[in-house]
Amino acid sequence: MFASTFDLYCDGKFYRRLFPLISLGRERLDAIGKCISFLFQVFLMVGPCQRLLDKFCARIRSITTDMGVERKMANFVNIWPEFWAWIDPRAAIPTDVPRPSFMFPRCLQIAGWKHQFDLLVRACLCSLPFFPGWLEKLKAVVTLLRTRTLMDIITKQLERLGMRALSQMLIALKCPTFAEWRWGTLYTCCKSLERVLGSSSRAWDTSW
């Protein structure tokens, strides 16, 4: 799912609005694929008129991203011909209409502040000798708790041992995926494990 928002400044006030949501195929995960997908969101909102599309893109002042491949969109050259060819390969693309050299001629590339602080927190924590190893162990525990087949075995064994309350707590436990670093994800995982880790560690048996 490709989601993006835009901030509209009007009469001294800012308004945040959501672009239409679209689903991306695997072939659209590179920089140009995401730029074309973004243009399609604009197309769905503004309409098929090229003049209005040009005006909208010319009024974009900045694109704020988490510094993935989307960061390249701010400096993209004009790719309207590629966009219209993607919409309809049979479309007649006018060549006599002047086009700006860049897709977003007044746009600046801005790094998302939340992502930047997230990277700073990671750098600080990873400078501690114990943290990298501890983080790998935490990810292993989260992976175990998210593996349904293994959790079914563990919770059934706990119920056989009369630990029904602990079994129900593990069943109700919600842990997000922790494949990549995010400070918010780390916090959520630790808060979720805090409720069950003590009881689970005392009841754990490697023979299961």
Side-chain angles (χ1 to χ4, degrees):
M1 188 64 69
F2 186 67
S4 53
T5 62
F6 66 95
D7 292 335
L8 176 66
Y9 180 76
C10 181
D11 295 331
K13 295 182 180 180
F14 280 99
Y15 302 89
R16 177 159 294 179
R17 297 291 183 266
L18 182 67
F19 279 107
L21 297 177
I22 61 175
S23 180
L24 296 186
R26 291 183 179 273
E27 71 281 0
R28 293 292 172 190
L29 298 180
D30 57 356
I32 190 169
K34 289 195 174 181
C35 188
I36 288 178
S37 300
F38 174 71
L39 294 178
F40 185 55
Q41 290 179 317
V42 177
F43 171 85
L44 292 174
M45 187 179 69
V46 176
C49 177
Q50 183 68 64
R51 180 177 58 84
L52 294 178
L53 293 170
D54 286 337
K55 281 190 174 182
F56 186 93
C57 291
R59 293 183 180 184
I60 295 176
R61 294 297 188 265
S62 67
I63 295 180
T64 304
T65 73
D66 62 359
M67 301 307 288
V69 295
E70 301 90 349
R71 73 187 187 281
K72 300 178 181 179
M73 290 198 306
N75 300 314
F76 254 61
V77 296
N78 193 309
I79 60 168
W80 280 122
E82 289 83 353
F83 172 78
W84 291 115
W86 176 73
I87 290 288
D88 184 1
R90 300 168 298 176
I93 303 173
T95 58
D96 57 342
V97 179
R99 293 283 181 265
S101 300
F102 292 91
M103 284 302 308
F104 314 106
R106 296 187 177 95
C107 181
L108 295 175
Q109 173 190 314
I110 304 294
W113 65 267
K114 185 176 181 180
H115 185 70
Q116 296 304 305
F117 275 101
D118 192 77
L119 294 177
L120 288 173
V121 170
R122 181 177 68 175
C124 293
L125 289 176
C126 289
S127 67
L128 301 173
F130 77 92
F131 187 78
W134 177 85
L135 185 61
E136 290 303 316
K137 293 176 183 177
L138 177 67
K139 288 184 177 182
V141 172
V142 171
T143 301
L144 171 66
L145 296 175
R146 287 181 55 85
T147 305
R148 183 175 296 276
T149 54
L150 295 177
M151 287 305 297
D152 287 343
I153 296 173
I154 293 173
T155 53
K156 289 178 181 177
Q157 184 65 23
L158 289 173
E159 290 188 2
R160 293 193 193 99
L161 297 174
M163 302 180 187
R164 182 174 177 80
L166 179 57
S167 174
Q168 293 300 315
M169 289 174 64
L170 289 175
I171 292 174
L173 185 68
K174 303 293 184 183
C175 279
T177 305
F178 203 171
E180 298 293 338
W181 168 270
R182 287 294 183 272
W183 168 248
T185 305
L186 176 63
Y187 175 80
T188 303
C189 288
C190 289
K191 291 295 290 185
S192 299
L193 292 175
E194 184 182 21
R195 296 175 293 173
V196 300
L197 193 58
S199 300
S200 300
S201 61
R202 286 190 289 271
W204 182 260
D205 189 341
T206 56
S207 65
W208 295 349

